[in-house]
Amino acid sequence: VEAGCCTDAAQSTPYPGPWFILVDRETRRHKAENKSDVFPRLESVRLRYDIVDFSLGRLAAPEAGRHESPDLAGRMIDPDGKRRIGEAWQGLRRIAEGAKEWPPKKIAVCAKHLCGAATDIALRSAASVEKAEMRLCVATCCHHSCDYDLYVARSFLAEVGAARGRREFEMLQKSCGWSFGVASADKRRIGLLSKRLLDLGRLHFLRAKFGQRSTIKAYCDPRLSPENLVLLV
């Protein structure tokens, strides 16, 4: 499952076998899954709606394989979104019918530079899966766009004294923007530490759900990209 997949996708792989569910709210041209001459053996379904309206736990539930059009959101969404879900479910049913068993025993979730609060939405969606073996790879970015109501580890920030409530969280969030592009070295250091705190909170959330195998690593030199951390399960 790739959240916020844009035009490219994790399905751009030479290995056959997996089914790919691609979630993106925008209409895209030149989509990777349409390149059948390059990836002829891969099966994929693209869900064109906001990841905030997508619950991976509901999709991976045993009853989902039996429903004509399950409620993947668990709440009311806009009528156009419901129509798109209904259309996409025809493709999703191919996954359930083509799989040897449903629900799937193994699920991998990935996202490339999922901005701000979108990372927290994707993490919460992954954590909603009850029984499947989960693997996750999410590269974080744009921490200044995080949202207090959506952030997954507010209690962690309060416990370490970094943000005890909305006002302090918003101060922490805004300071993330200092991590590069400002003249003051002290401000850049504070901005970088603020970003790391938010990601450590996310790691705390993942370890509470998936255990100590959850980790965070740098995947490239910071001179190539200052947004160089990835959450892994």
Side-chain angles (χ1 to χ4, degrees):
V1 178
E2 183 166 7
C5 59
C6 196
T7 56
D8 197 8
Q11 66 162 349
S12 302
T13 168
Y15 301 106
W19 291 81
F20 293 88
I21 299 173
L22 313 173
V23 186
D24 194 274
R25 66 183 178 183
E26 303 291 343
T27 302
R28 304 288 183 180
R29 300 177 62 189
H30 310 299
K31 297 185 286 288
E33 66 267 26
N34 290 341
K35 300 176 182 178
S36 57
D37 57 326
V38 182
F39 311 112
R41 298 173 295 175
L42 302 178
E43 294 282 356
S44 66
V45 173
R46 180 176 287 260
L47 300 180
R48 188 173 66 83
Y49 59 104
D50 201 306
I51 60 171
V52 75
D53 293 324
F54 177 68
S55 170
L56 182 55
R58 286 179 177 268
L59 176 62
E63 59 271 18
R66 301 190 295 267
H67 289 184
E68 288 299 320
S69 183
D71 179 4
L72 299 186
R75 60 186 178 82
M76 290 297 292
I77 60 175
D78 64 280
D80 186 50
K82 283 188 173 293
R83 177 186 60 78
R84 294 198 300 270
I85 289 174
E87 293 172 353
W89 185 243
Q90 300 307 311
L92 291 173
R93 281 188 66 80
R94 288 192 296 110
I95 294 180
E97 293 167 2
K100 294 181 179 179
E101 56 185 331
W102 193 269
K105 289 186 176 180
K106 296 181 179 181
I107 297 176
V109 174
C110 68
K112 306 180 294 291
H113 283 180
L114 204 53
C115 291
T119 289
D120 299 294
I121 293 168
L123 297 182
R124 187 171 281 111
S125 180
S128 69
V129 175
E130 290 298 329
K131 295 183 178 180
E133 179 184 340
M134 176 64 65
R135 290 292 182 266
L136 180 140
C137 178
V138 174
T140 63
C141 78
C142 301
H143 299 72
H144 60 279
S145 296
C146 287
D147 183 273
Y148 178 76
D149 294 318
L150 296 174
Y151 184 67
V152 295
R154 296 197 310 244
S155 60
F156 169 82
L157 295 181
E159 287 172 10
V160 299
R164 303 182 185 89
R166 183 182 299 273
R167 183 174 177 275
E168 290 186 357
F169 180 88
E170 291 175 350
M171 293 172 62
L172 178 69
Q173 166 200 343
K174 291 177 181 177
S175 68
C176 292
W178 300 344
S179 58
F180 54 93
V182 296
S184 169
D186 287 339
K187 273 195 168 185
R188 288 197 301 273
R189 184 170 61 85
I190 292 171
L192 183 61
L193 290 173
S194 297
K195 290 162 69 72
R196 296 298 180 263
L197 263 173
L198 291 175
D199 281 339
L200 283 174
R202 289 161 167 166
L203 177 60
H204 179 79
F205 171 82
L206 291 174
R207 285 185 170 176
K209 173 65 180 180
F210 301 112
Q212 292 301 309
R213 61 190 174 95
S214 306
T215 187
I216 186 168
K217 291 187 177 182
Y219 62 88
C220 73
D221 191 296
R223 291 172 295 182
L224 295 176
S225 172
E227 306 281 19
N228 69 330
L229 293 187
V230 61
L231 294 162
L232 299 168
V233 173

